[in-house]
Amino acid sequence: MLSRIAESLFWIGRYVERADDTARLLDVHLQILLEDPWAEEDLACRSLLSVMDRRLPAQGAPIGRVEVLDVLAYDRFSPSSIAGALVSARENARRAREVISTELWESLNATWNQLPSHMRPARPHDYFTWVRERAAVVAGVVDATASRDDTWAFMVLGRSIERADMTARLLTTRALAGSGGPGWTTLLRSCGAHEAFLRTYRGAASDERAAGFLLLDRLFPRSIVFALNQAEACLAALEPVADRAIVDDARRHIGLVRTNLEYRPLIDVLDALPREMEQVQRACAAASDAVRGRYFPSALTTTWVGENL
C-alpha cells in the first residue's frame, strides 16, 4: 500500500476518534460547571485546556466555557478541535478514496456537509450528541464494510492509539479536579461504560472498581488496556514478528506502557494517576511517531498541538 494512502487511513481513524472523545470530555466538563454553582470556572477551564495541551491565555485574562468551546469544539481550522477533526477526517478520506468503501466515504462526507448546521446550538450537549452519533456511524461502517487487511488495520490502529490517549486525558481531568471534579459514575456514563460496569460487578460498585474498569478492563472497548491491546494487534497484523524478538518501536512503546498498567496493583496506579496517564500519552505519541517513521517516511507529517510531548 502506498504510504500516502496508509497515512490517510491512519489519520481517518485518529480524527474521528478524536472528535468523539473530545465531545465526551467537553460534555462532562460543561455538565460539572452547570451543576456546581461554586465551581471555579476559570480554573476548571484552564485545567481542561492544559490537559488538552492547548496554549493558555495570559493569567490575567479570564477563561470561561465560551472560550473553551471556541477552541475545542467549533474551530474548523484546528485538527485538535471537534469540528477541525471532522473536517480533517473527510479530507483524508478524499485522499484515500480509491481504497475505502463508498459507504465510509458517504458517511464522512455527510458529516462534513451537516457540520455547519449543527455547530453553536443553543445547547452544546445537542452538538456533542450529534458528534458521538456520527462517530458511531463511521465506526460501524468501518467494521461492517472493510476487509480485515491493511486498510482496516491502519484505520483501527489510528483509532486505538487515539482512544487510549484521549481516555487518559479524560481520567487526568478527574484526577486534577479532585473532589470538585466529575464522579466516577459521570465518567463511566461519558464513555458509555456505566451499564457494562454495573453488569460486570452486579451492584458491588465502588470508585476503585470504576477506575479499574476504565483503565484495565480487557473486554470493554473504551478501556485504556483494551485500546492498547487493539493497537498491538493491528501492528502485529501489519508486520508479523518473524524474529524471536520484537523490534518494532511502536509495539515496544505500547507494550511497555500496557504491561506497566496491567501488572501493577491498581491502588499504586490510582495514587499517581496524573503521572501514569501522562506516561500513556507519551507512549501513544511515541508510537504514533514510530508508525509514521516506519510506514509513512516520505509523506508530509500531520501533527496537532501536543502530539510530540
Side-chain angles (χ1 to χ4, degrees):
M1 181 180 292
L2 293 174
S3 63
R4 167 185 63 83
I5 295 175
E7 184 178 28
S8 293
L9 295 170
F10 177 77
W11 283 102
I12 289 170
R14 290 204 68 165
Y15 283 134
V16 173
E17 184 64 27
R18 183 176 301 169
D20 185 3
D21 292 339
T22 304
R24 294 173 183 276
L25 193 151
L26 286 175
D27 208 7
V28 169
H29 177 78
L30 294 184
Q31 180 180 343
I32 294 168
L33 292 179
L34 289 173
E35 293 179 352
D36 186 359
W38 292 280
E40 297 184 29
E41 184 167 340
D42 181 78
L43 178 60
C45 291
R46 286 180 181 275
S47 297
L48 178 60
L49 290 177
S50 176
V51 167
M52 298 298 289
D53 292 316
R54 300 308 302 271
R55 182 177 299 175
L56 295 173
Q59 190 64 35
I63 306 175
R65 67 196 72 181
V66 174
E67 290 77 18
V68 167
L69 288 172
D70 285 341
V71 171
L72 295 179
Y74 304 137
D75 186 354
R76 292 171 60 98
F77 301 100
S78 170
S80 59
S81 77
I82 294 173
L86 293 176
V87 170
S88 297
R90 188 260 188 186
E91 179 61 20
N92 278 281
R94 187 182 63 81
R95 294 173 183 171
R97 183 66 187 88
E98 60 264 42
V99 299
I100 65 173
S101 68
T102 299
E103 290 87 348
L104 178 57
W105 164 251
E106 288 177 346
S107 64
L108 289 168
N109 195 48
T111 302
W112 179 74
N113 283 320
Q114 296 169 19
L115 180 61
S117 64
H118 286 85
M119 287 176 60
R120 302 184 186 278
R123 294 198 318 152
H125 174 74
D126 295 337
Y127 175 61
F128 301 145
T129 300
W130 174 78
V131 171
R132 292 199 301 268
E133 289 175 351
R134 295 308 303 175
V137 169
V138 172
V141 169
V142 169
D143 289 339
T145 65
S147 296
R148 273 25 180 193
D149 54 12
D150 287 357
T151 298
W152 183 84
F154 276 115
M155 282 192 287
V156 175
L157 174 61
R159 180 175 72 191
S160 300
I161 290 177
E162 189 71 25
R163 181 171 293 178
D165 177 88
M166 293 297 289
T167 302
R169 293 175 191 271
L170 182 67
L171 294 177
T172 300
T173 62
R174 168 69 178 86
L176 294 179
S179 59
W184 286 108
T185 298
T186 301
L187 290 184
L188 288 169
R189 290 186 186 278
S190 72
C191 293
H194 188 242
E195 293 181 2
F197 171 73
L198 293 179
R199 284 194 295 270
T200 299
Y201 289 102
R202 302 185 183 278
S206 67
D207 287 350
E208 183 176 336
R209 284 181 169 177
F213 193 76
L214 292 178
L215 282 166
L216 306 175
D217 194 89
R218 290 171 172 267
L219 301 181
F220 183 67
R222 287 196 169 273
S223 80
I224 291 178
V225 163
F226 185 101
L228 293 174
N229 272 322
Q230 181 91 77
E232 283 191 88
C234 291
L235 288 166
L238 288 169
E239 190 168 352
V241 177
D243 301 321
R244 292 192 174 187
I246 293 176
V247 296
D248 185 343
D249 285 342
R251 288 185 69 182
R252 183 178 295 113
H253 289 303
I254 290 173
L256 282 172
V257 74
R258 177 184 58 77
T259 54
N260 180 58
L261 289 175
E262 280 192 298
Y263 295 102
R264 288 175 58 202
L266 177 59
I267 190 65
D268 291 349
V269 177
L270 295 181
D271 284 343
L273 192 57
R275 187 185 68 211
E276 296 296 334
M277 295 302 96
E278 182 180 356
Q279 291 300 318
V280 173
Q281 294 169 46
R282 289 182 181 276
C284 289
S288 183
D289 289 340
V291 168
R292 182 186 302 127
R294 171 66 181 85
Y295 296 103
F296 325 134
S298 61
L300 294 175
T301 58
T302 306
T303 60
W304 67 300
V305 176
E307 195 74 43
N308 299 313
L309 294 175

